[in-house]
Amino acid sequence: MTIRSNKWIAWLFLTPVLVVMALLVFYPLVQGIIYSFTDMNQYNMGSKFAPPSWTFVGLDNYVDLFASFFKPDSVFRDVIVQTLVWTFVNVFFHFVIGLGLALLLNRNIKGRGIYRMLLMVPWAVPSFVSAFSWTWMYNQTYGLFNIILQKLGFSPIPWLGDSFWAMVSVIMVNVWVGVPFMMITLLGGLQSIPPSLYEAARVDGASPWSQFWNITLPLLRPVAATATVLGVIWTFNMFTIIFLVTRGGPVRSTEILVTYAYREAFLNWNFGMAATYGVVILSFLLAFTVLYRRLIKANSNEGVYY
C-alpha cells in the first residue's frame, strides 16, 4: 500500500511537467507532422476573414522532396550535404577542443577557477549577441580580422562574401559558442574517474599516453557519448548562428535544413513543405541517435548501457 501511494505522489509531481510538455512539445510536434501531409500555404491556411481550405495530399510532399534529391541542380541535396558538413565539423572541433581544455583544467594549476569562469563566457553570452559581435569582426573593410591581416601584410578575406569563407565563418562562431558546454561536461566526467586508477597505472610504469588511452577514454565514454549526441542535435538545429551571420548566403552556400525550412515557411509561405522539412530533420536526428547509441554499446568493453 505504501509503495502504491508513493507512485501516486510521484505522478502528482510529474503532472505539471507532463502538461507543459504536452502543450509546448508534443502538441506542436503532432500538428507539424499532420501539416506535412497537407498543401497548406498562405492562401489556404485560413484567417479570421476566411475559413481554412487546405487539403490532405498524402505523401505528395515527401515524394516531391525526395524526387528533387536526384535532380542535377537539387537544392535539397546541397542543403543536406551542407548540413552534414556543418554538423560533423562543428561537433568534431567541439569535442577535440573541449576535451583538450577539460584535460588542462583537470590539473592542479594556479588560477584554475578563474580560467573555468572565463572559458564559460562564450556559453553564458546569448548566441545572438555572439553572432552580432562576430559579424562585426567579419566586416571586409572595418572588421577586426581583416585589419589584423592587413597589418601583417596579407590581403583581406571576404569572410561573408565567398561561399567557402562564409561556411568557415559560421563554423568558427558556432565552435566558439559550443566548446564551453563540451568542456564543462567532459570535465565533470574526468573528475568522476577515481585518482587511484592513475596511481596504480603509474606504479605499473604506464606512460601518460597509455593512461589516457586505457583509463581516461574508456571511463569517459558514457559522458562523451551523451555530450556528443546533444552536440549533434543542437548543431544540426542551430538556426540562430547561421541566420544572423550569413542568412544562409551567399547563394545558399551556408544553408542547412533548419534554415531552409524557415525560408520555405516564412519566405515562400509553403507551410506544408516546411513541415515536411521538419519531419525530415526529426527523422535524421532519431536515426542518428539510435545508431550512435548502438555503436557505443557494441564497442563498450565495460558492459555499461546508457
Side-chain angles (χ1 to χ4, degrees):
M1 186 66 67
T2 304
I3 296 177
R4 181 175 299 179
S5 63
N6 289 339
K7 287 184 178 180
W8 280 107
I9 292 174
W11 281 109
L12 181 64
F13 282 105
L14 285 174
T15 299
V17 178
L18 294 175
V19 171
V20 173
M21 291 286 289
L23 293 176
L24 299 182
V25 178
F26 299 118
Y27 174 72
L29 175 63
V30 173
Q31 191 175 47
I33 294 175
I34 293 174
Y35 287 161
S36 70
F37 298 104
T38 70
D39 62 349
M40 181 182 290
N41 55 47
Q42 63 175 330
Y43 302 108
N44 59 23
M45 63 181 294
S47 66
K48 63 180 181 180
F49 302 107
S53 59
W54 49 266
T55 59
F56 283 96
V57 295
L59 297 175
D60 287 357
N61 289 334
Y62 294 93
V63 172
D64 294 341
L65 185 62
F66 287 101
S68 68
F69 182 88
F70 300 99
K71 293 181 180 180
D73 55 346
S74 172
V75 176
F76 179 53
R77 183 179 61 246
D78 295 340
V79 170
I80 287 181
V81 172
Q82 288 165 188
T83 304
L84 295 177
V85 171
W86 157 264
T87 304
F88 174 80
V89 174
N90 274 289
V91 175
F92 173 80
F93 282 110
H94 285 168
F95 185 83
V96 172
I97 299 175
L99 179 59
L101 292 175
L103 290 171
L104 290 175
L105 293 179
N106 195 42
R107 305 175 63 182
N108 292 321
I109 57 177
K110 187 176 181 180
R112 182 171 58 176
I114 297 177
Y115 297 143
R116 290 181 182 178
M117 181 186 67
L118 292 176
L119 289 170
M120 287 299 296
V121 169
W123 195 39
V125 174
S127 58
F128 71 90
V129 175
S130 298
F132 287 138
S133 301
W134 280 78
T135 302
W136 172 79
M137 291 190 290
Y138 285 140
N139 186 280
Q140 189 166 351
T141 305
Y142 305 106
L144 175 65
F145 294 142
N146 279 343
I147 290 177
I148 294 175
L149 288 174
Q150 289 176 329
K151 294 288 185 181
L152 296 175
F154 296 99
S155 301
I157 294 176
W159 294 102
L160 304 180
D162 178 79
S163 298
F164 171 77
W165 286 111
M167 180 60 80
V168 172
S169 300
V170 290
I171 287 175
M172 288 171 60
V173 179
N174 197 61
V175 168
W176 163 265
V177 172
V179 161
F181 165 77
M182 190 68 70
M183 176 198 70
I184 204 67
T185 304
L186 296 178
L187 180 60
L190 290 173
Q191 292 181 340
S192 68
I193 300 175
S196 59
L197 296 176
Y198 294 103
E199 295 173 1
R202 284 193 292 269
V203 170
D204 291 337
S207 64
W209 172 253
S210 179
Q211 296 176 39
F212 173 77
W213 188 258
N214 295 295
I215 298 177
T216 304
L217 284 184
L219 296 181
L220 195 62
R221 184 179 296 149
V223 175
T226 303
T228 302
V229 170
L230 291 175
V232 168
I233 293 173
W234 291 338
T235 304
F236 202 91
N237 287 317
M238 179 52 72
F239 171 84
T240 309
I241 298 299
I242 288 183
F243 186 77
L244 293 180
V245 176
T246 65
R247 293 188 178 270
V251 198
R252 298 197 180 99
S253 59
T254 58
E255 201 88 71
I256 61 174
L257 283 171
V258 66
T259 59
Y260 198 73
Y262 172 86
R263 183 182 300 277
E264 195 70 27
F266 299 106
L267 296 181
N268 298 333
W269 300 101
N270 190 348
F271 299 113
M273 185 58 72
T276 305
Y277 271 97
V279 175
V280 170
I281 293 171
L282 176 63
S283 302
F284 267 112
L285 294 176
L286 286 176
F288 166 79
T289 302
V290 172
L291 178 62
Y292 186 76
R293 285 167 65 90
R294 288 183 177 180
L295 289 175
I296 291 297
K297 287 181 181 180
N299 293 329
S300 177
N301 296 321
E302 292 78 27
V304 178
Y305 294 90
Y306 32 83

